[in-house]
Amino acid sequence: MSSIISSDGALGPTYVEIFGPVFWGFCATLVLCGVSTLQGYLYFTRYNDRTGIQVVAGIMLFLDFLSMGLICQSMYYYMLPHYGSLGPLSAVTRELSVECLISAIITFISQMYFVYQLRIGESMLLKSGGRAAWVMIHMTIILGAASLAGGVGCVAIMFTHPHSILMNRNRAFIILAGINKAFGAAADIVATIAMCLFLTGAETGIKRTSSLLRSLIHLVINRGLLVTFAQILMLVLFFASTTHLYWLAVHINTTKLYVNTFFAMLNARTSYLDTVSGPHISMGGLSSARSATVVHTASVDEVKKFSGMNHNSYTMDAIKVTTTSTVADI
């Protein structure tokens, strides 16, 4: 099996040592793509959200499938026609370059969906977090845009200097990749903190509402920790090793994590609705026969007016927790 020979004549890692981690990362990617497919199926068969939310969800699912196809093609190129040869590893495929662009777009969409949720409940967020909360919303937008710009820059370098990406990395590529991952992780951290402030501000002291909000906070924190850990791990591996492709194995899975957590946030609404009942709590935004019977302070016409649709259909782009003193959109 061929190996890389260093400048001092010592043998470097073999093909298997270099590309082995990418293969196992590819296996994990296949599993995560299957999970996102199931998540997407559950979403589109259970909910009838606003057209804008459905379009965004459809775009996320389409980009996920496209990303998976491009990864499969790249794996085929490196592992079958050129198996055991280190020559092809000196250049990145165009398919993998396009996949990196898709990854940056998916990450940005996922982060901006958090911003959208925060803007829905901006008044409550400002009440609980003061001006700092307003700053965090705009920081998330700026950091997310910077991460996207870094990702687009990386793709541009990958197309213009394909032989300076995987092994002998281009300096500009290293800087842009650092910007992409570092600012992406920062955007996720800020968005998670802002959402937790928002949910904390919705606390009313009512037992059922408090339990629901705690569950939502746990979901938001777990989502934030997962994607932030993936971004930081990829960044560390990228700078820690220049002769191995551990970072690439993490990169191809990060895209799937963003898609899965995006749909997990959407699909979690049904399970949380099932935990809430009682005369003082309603889940607005999701309009159904069940929710209409729970609301004692609003008429059916008011529920229909709020949702903009018939009360027998599901329409929800955010969870609205309504109590006698607080309204929180999630």
Side-chain angles (χ1 to χ4, degrees), residues 199 258 291:
L199 294 173
Y258 274 103
S291 62

Side-chain angles (χ1 to χ4, degrees), residues 5-317:
I5 301 178
S6 63
S7 58
D8 59 1
L11 288 177
T14 65
Y15 176 89
V16 173
E17 292 172 334
I18 293 174
F19 211 70
V22 182
F23 171 77
W24 291 114
F26 172 68
C27 293
T29 302
L30 291 173
V31 175
L32 291 176
C33 186
V35 174
S36 63
T37 301
L38 176 60
Q39 293 266 31
Y41 171 79
L42 293 176
Y43 170 73
F44 284 108
T45 56
R46 289 183 178 182
Y47 298 100
N48 187 24
D49 287 343
R50 296 175 183 175
T51 302
I53 300 299
Q54 290 185 336
V55 169
V56 171
I59 291 174
M60 290 284 278
L61 203 57
F62 170 75
L63 291 177
D64 187 45
F65 291 154
L66 181 58
S67 169
M68 191 70 251
L70 294 171
I71 292 172
C72 288
Q73 172 58 29
S74 296
M75 291 294 295
Y76 169 83
Y77 173 79
Y78 288 123
M79 297 193 66
L80 293 182
H82 302 97
Y83 176 75
S85 174
L86 293 173
L89 288 178
S90 63
V92 65
T93 63
R94 290 186 177 273
E95 291 83 4
L96 203 54
S97 300
V98 175
E99 193 281 329
C100 287
L101 177 61
I102 293 175
S103 176
I105 294 173
I106 286 178
T107 300
F108 182 73
I109 293 176
S110 178
Q111 292 167 343
M112 291 307 103
Y113 179 72
F114 253 53
V115 172
Y116 166 73
Q117 297 285 45
L118 291 170
R119 291 300 298 268
I120 292 177
E122 187 171 4
S123 59
M124 182 174 295
L125 181 59
L126 292 174
K127 184 185 299 184
S128 60
R131 187 164 183 81
W134 180 87
V135 171
M136 282 191 288
I137 292 177
H138 290 80
M139 278 184 63
T140 303
I141 298 174
I142 294 172
L143 292 171
S147 176
L148 177 63
V152 172
C154 284
V155 174
I157 299 297
M158 293 170 79
F159 274 104
T160 56
H161 299 85
H163 293 278
S164 303
I165 303 300
L166 297 179
M167 295 301 174
N168 302 315
R169 299 173 192 162
N170 183 288
R171 182 176 179 82
F173 174 74
I174 294 175
I175 295 173
L176 290 171
I179 291 174
N180 173 239
K181 298 305 178 182
F183 280 87
D188 289 318
I189 292 172
V190 173
T192 300
I193 294 174
M195 183 62 81
C196 288
L197 282 176
F198 164 48
L199 294 173
T200 302
E203 189 70 52
T204 63
I206 299 175
K207 185 176 180 180
R208 291 190 181 91
T209 307
S210 299
S211 177
L212 171 63
L213 291 174
R214 283 194 297 270
S215 298
L216 290 169
I217 290 174
H218 290 159
L219 175 63
V220 170
I221 291 176
N222 289 336
R223 180 266 177 196
L225 289 176
L226 183 61
V227 295
T228 301
F229 174 76
Q231 293 274 31
I232 294 176
L233 178 61
M234 188 273 174
L235 194 63
V236 170
L237 293 175
F238 181 80
F239 286 103
S241 177
T242 58
T243 59
H244 290 78
L245 297 178
Y246 299 118
W247 66 271
L248 187 58
V250 177
H251 164 76
I252 61 178
N253 282 284
T254 301
T255 304
K256 310 304 175 196
L257 290 178
Y258 274 103
V259 174
N260 274 282
T261 54
F262 172 82
F263 279 104
M265 293 288 292
L266 292 175
N267 290 329
R269 296 173 297 181
T270 297
S271 60
Y272 288 141
L273 279 172
D274 292 336
T275 65
V276 179
S277 61
H280 300 292
I281 301 174
S282 68
M283 304 301 285
L286 173 57
S287 176
S288 66
R290 176 177 56 182
S291 62
T293 60
V294 172
V295 180
H296 293 273
T297 58
S299 65
V300 172
D301 290 336
E302 289 173 326
V303 174
K304 291 166 65 177
K305 181 180 179 181
F306 170 78
S307 64
M309 299 187 67
N310 187 282
H311 69 281
N312 289 321
S313 63
Y314 287 90
T315 169
M316 177 187 192
D317 51 69

